[in-house]
Amino acid sequence: MKWSQTLIPTLKESPSEAEIESHKLMIRAGLIRRVTAGAYAYLPLGTLVLNKVIAIVREEMNRAGAVEVFLPSLQPLDLLEESGRLQIFGEDLITFEDRHGKTTALGPTHEEIITDIVRNEVNSYRQLPITLYQIQTKFRDETRPRFGVLRSKEFIMKDAYSFDMDYEGLNKSYKSMYDAYCRIFDRCGLDYLVVEADSGAMGGDVSHEFMVPSPVGEDVLIRCLKCGYSANRERAESAPLLQENHATLQTLKEVPTPNKHTIQEVSAFLQVKPCQMVKTMIYISNGQPVAVLLRGDHEVNETKLSKVLGQDTVALADHATIEQVTGARVGFAGPVGLNIEIIADQAVSVLRNFVTGANKPDTHLENVNADRDFKISRVADIRYVTTDDRCVKCNHKIDISQGIEIGHVFKLGTKYSDALKAKFLDTNGKGKSMIMGCYGIGVNRILASAIERSHDENGIIWPLSLAPYKIIIIPVNVNDPSVIQAANHLYDDLTNLAGFEVLLDDRDQRPGVKFKDADLIGIPVKIIIGKKFTETKELEIKLRKGGETFLSTPDGVRLKIKQLFEVLLKI
RNA sequence: CGGGGCGUAGCGCAGUUUGGCUAGCGCGCCUGCCUUGGGAGCAGGAGGUCGGAGGUUCAAAUCCUCUCGCCCCGACCA
């Protein structure tokens, strides 16, 4: 492609809409433009990269034995109702009413659609197992789109769905997708981690997230750098804390704490560390209030809590309910004297002589002890781990960092096949629910992550596999006939004979502009036809990454490039 | 949805507090000259419903009311 014939609108200055590097660079390098909040247009360069990613994904899906389909974005609401996810998606679902008054949704994901098709078309064990996938635009009305294509209302996802006869089959399908994901992200040049994840609204039990570590990531990763344990924040567990059995039980006593209702205020007022305090939160479970006890410096993990309570979701009680249950204003609740179920976090169960609210206005209790002063109904792990925690597997120090979620695989089991009655006849002629898995990749996020990972002050540095063009030819002076002739000749040679993807910067611009632009858009290899060529007929080959430079005769270029590519592919 | 901020040329911004001539600056764009190894220089030029609507006023980018859009923090998030 000749630069003058395509559209690569590069920008010298960073646009004010962008906050993070990848977003700024995608705009500056002319890959994308924002059309409205959470929706982006891909310009020629961005489209080329997007297609590179898609091609890699498609190749590896096919290699893994998955079969491509293409499902509609328009989804009828009744299927979502049937699976029970209409409520779960709620406001995130983008819907519209057509001219007949029928409400239709723009698909946020496609479990229901694919399950509907499979239940209609697959009836026998002979047709199983099968994994179907598609690459398609999804729509979610994110409350807050952010960071360019990292969190948008409209995004491209590769989503795959496996259907098996039994759990052994599911395990195989899952493994096969898991391995394909590793190959995909490896080929895209990403550094990634796989973490245990909670399956959230997707349902199912086992789930792994593929994460690119990055300070701009919106997900939190918990890792043990010693044994390799890794999980996301919702899921991560920590080593149980030990009983402080050396402390002797002291006398329970009331202390006045006028108007001190937060942990910080009470802690400062009574000169007691938050980790020696217990906060009592009233939740509503199954319509009944439940007291949840946490150490003052810990945070409740509602995902864990809802599992413990056996609920889909849990919610804090409103102020009126709290006052009714505890007999005191919010901020003075405590377990002593409460006659509702009391769930204590494991860290609370080992505390002695702690401080809690007294269920009386402006009063706290000191030297509270479980068993003696109140009864814990259940002890469970219901909190987020902290940097003070130790690894659940090996008791080593724990590392907490951030990451971008680029892929997620789930073992769904029969959640959707039961709900939508996707059954097959087994070898004995008995009807059984299909065992499902689902597997997603955020295609746009791969672009952004790749840039986050690989850029410098001059711009993007594409890995060879994602580069929109592998080579950029820069004739320094297009008004010099011998130079432009050589450039055109080389372009034809590399494009037509060698089959490389080449961009020829044929613009009548000063050299500085062309070099800066070439760096900004991140083309891995520059071929410069300039001073050296006029003097000695030599071309200069320069690598974007590292800036290493080689001289070559026009005839030797092809071979030299091939050698360089072999090296670049290994990076 | 709560809190904060912004909207003036394609992009980045000044001007708004204290209303006042023809609304500025840098980058980009067009023409010409010159220049050709890291975002040159000179000269000339095009480009604006000052987000929109209404109001106050002799006079509104500037003050008032409403409204739309965008960004940030939080809540939320396969």
Side-chain angles (χ1 to χ4, degrees), chain A residues 546-566:
Chain A
E548 207 180 340
T549 306
F550 310 88
L551 288 177
S552 169
T553 60
D555 288 340
V557 167
R558 241 203 271 178
L559 182 64
K560 184 68 200 169
I561 296 275
K562 275 189 180 145
Q563 290 168 352
L564 287 173
F565 279 3
E566 274 172 36

Side-chain angles (χ1 to χ4, degrees), chain A residues 295-306:
Chain A
R295 220 170 72 181
D297 58 332
H298 287 157
E299 264 184 276
V300 65
N301 179 333
E302 293 191 353
T303 305
K304 289 180 180 176
L305 180 62
S306 33

Side-chain angles (χ1 to χ4, degrees), chain A residues 262-335:
Chain A
T262 66
I263 291 287
Q264 283 76 16
E265 287 166 356
V266 177
S267 163
F269 184 74
L270 295 178
Q271 295 292 304
V272 176
K273 287 189 203 140
C275 65
Q276 272 299 317
M277 301 173 59
V278 167
K279 53 184 165 190
T280 304
M281 304 164 85
I282 308 296
Y283 274 85
I284 299 294
S285 167
N286 247 336
Q288 295 298 312
V290 178
V292 171
L293 305 189
L294 281 159
R295 220 170 72 181
D297 58 332
H298 287 157
E299 264 184 276
V300 65
N301 179 333
E302 293 191 353
T303 305
K304 289 180 180 176
L305 180 62
S306 33
K307 272 191 193 151
V308 167
L309 294 172
Q311 305 282 303
D312 278 346
T313 55
V314 292
L316 277 169
D318 57 46
H319 286 199
T321 308
I322 293 172
E323 287 175 23
Q324 192 201 324
V325 169
T326 65
R329 206 157 81 240
V330 174
F332 300 95

Side-chain angles (χ1 to χ4, degrees), chain A residues 449-488:
Chain A
S449 312
I451 297 170
E452 279 298 327
R453 173 189 178 246
S454 178
H455 67 267
D456 62 15
E457 65 281 3
N458 292 316
I460 300 169
I461 304 175
W462 287 118
L464 205 54
S465 57
L466 299 187
Y469 297 99
K470 296 191 172 21
I471 302 165
I472 181 167
I473 300 174
I474 303 179
V476 169
N477 181 3
V478 295
N479 296 315
D480 181 334
S482 71
V483 167
I484 194 69
Q485 252 175 40
N488 279 323

Side-chain angles (χ1 to χ4, degrees), chain A residues 379-390:
Chain A
V379 174
D381 173 14
I382 49 173
R383 65 180 176 92
Y384 288 114
V385 307
T386 72
T387 42
D388 294 330
D389 281 309
R390 314 292 292 189

Side-chain angles (χ1 to χ4, degrees), chain A residues 101-236:
Chain A
K102 180 193 166 192
T103 303
T104 300
L106 295 177
T109 171
H110 283 77
E111 280 76 15
E112 287 81 1
I113 307 296
I114 199 78
T115 307
D116 179 53
I117 290 169
V118 169
R119 73 176 166 183
N120 291 332
E121 314 304 333
V122 176
N123 309 299
S124 160
Y125 74 94
R126 294 175 198 274
Q127 294 166 284
L128 297 175
I130 190 164
T131 297
L132 300 168
Y133 79 96
Q134 66 164 345
I135 296 164
Q136 216 228 25
T137 303
K138 310 286 184 191
F139 300 88
R140 292 181 194 177
D141 193 359
E142 293 286 346
T143 43
R144 189 177 163 205
R146 223 187 309 210
F147 298 148
V149 301
L150 273 186
R151 181 161 218 81
S152 48
K153 291 191 180 187
E154 181 183 330
F155 56 97
I156 300 171
M157 181 160 114
K158 186 288 300 173
D159 47 322
Y161 308 90
S162 67
F163 298 84
D164 278 280
M165 289 181 267
D166 49 31
Y167 281 89
E168 195 186 327
L170 170 61
N171 290 341
K172 269 189 205 158
S173 301
Y174 189 83
K175 175 77 163 54
S176 161
M177 282 295 116
Y178 186 110
D179 292 345
Y181 275 36
C182 293
R183 291 196 299 272
I184 289 166
F185 301 135
D186 284 339
R187 286 181 63 183
C188 291
L190 297 173
D191 293 322
Y192 61 93
L193 295 168
V194 188
V195 305
E196 283 178 27
D198 188 81
S199 39
M202 303 303 301
D205 45 7
V206 176
S207 160
H208 289 93
E209 282 174 346
F210 290 76
M211 297 281 203
V212 175
S214 162
V216 306
E218 295 186 82
D219 295 85
V220 176
L221 315 176
I222 313 296
R223 278 192 293 161
C224 170
L225 300 178
K226 189 179 173 200
C227 77
Y229 171 76
S230 55
N232 74 7
R233 187 165 182 253
E234 304 306 317
R235 172 88 177 196

Side-chain angles (χ1 to χ4, degrees), chain A residues 318-440:
Chain A
D318 57 46
H319 286 199
T321 308
I322 293 172
E323 287 175 23
Q324 192 201 324
V325 169
T326 65
R329 206 157 81 240
V330 174
F332 300 95
V336 181
L338 279 189
N339 56 355
I340 56 175
E341 185 176 13
I342 295 175
I343 299 186
D345 182 64
Q346 192 274 331
V348 169
S349 70
V350 298
L351 273 188
R352 288 200 173 172
N353 301 323
F354 50 84
V355 171
T356 73
N359 295 326
K360 279 188 195 172
D362 296 331
T363 313
H364 277 74
L365 294 176
E366 282 183 341
N367 301 325
V368 179
N369 287 284
D371 289 341
R372 184 190 69 181
D373 303 323
F374 68 98
K375 284 269 178 282
I376 295 175
S377 319
R378 261 195 284 178
V379 174
D381 173 14
I382 49 173
R383 65 180 176 92
Y384 288 114
V385 307
T386 72
T387 42
D388 294 330
D389 281 309
R390 314 292 292 189
C391 173
V392 66
K393 292 261 164 73
C394 74
N395 211 42
H396 191 257
K397 209 168 131 34
I398 253 171
D399 178 75
I400 299 184
S401 58
Q402 286 162 273
I404 301 166
E405 181 188 352
I406 50 172
H408 203 156
V409 292
F410 301 85
K411 289 186 188 175
L412 293 175
T414 59
K415 178 180 160 103
Y416 295 94
S417 48
D418 280 344
L420 298 172
K421 301 186 178 57
K423 293 186 182 304
F424 68 100
L425 291 182
D426 69 9
T427 48
N428 302 317
K430 264 179 65 182
K432 280 188 179 166
S433 288
M434 297 180 195
I435 314 297
M436 293 176 58
C438 78
Y439 317 91

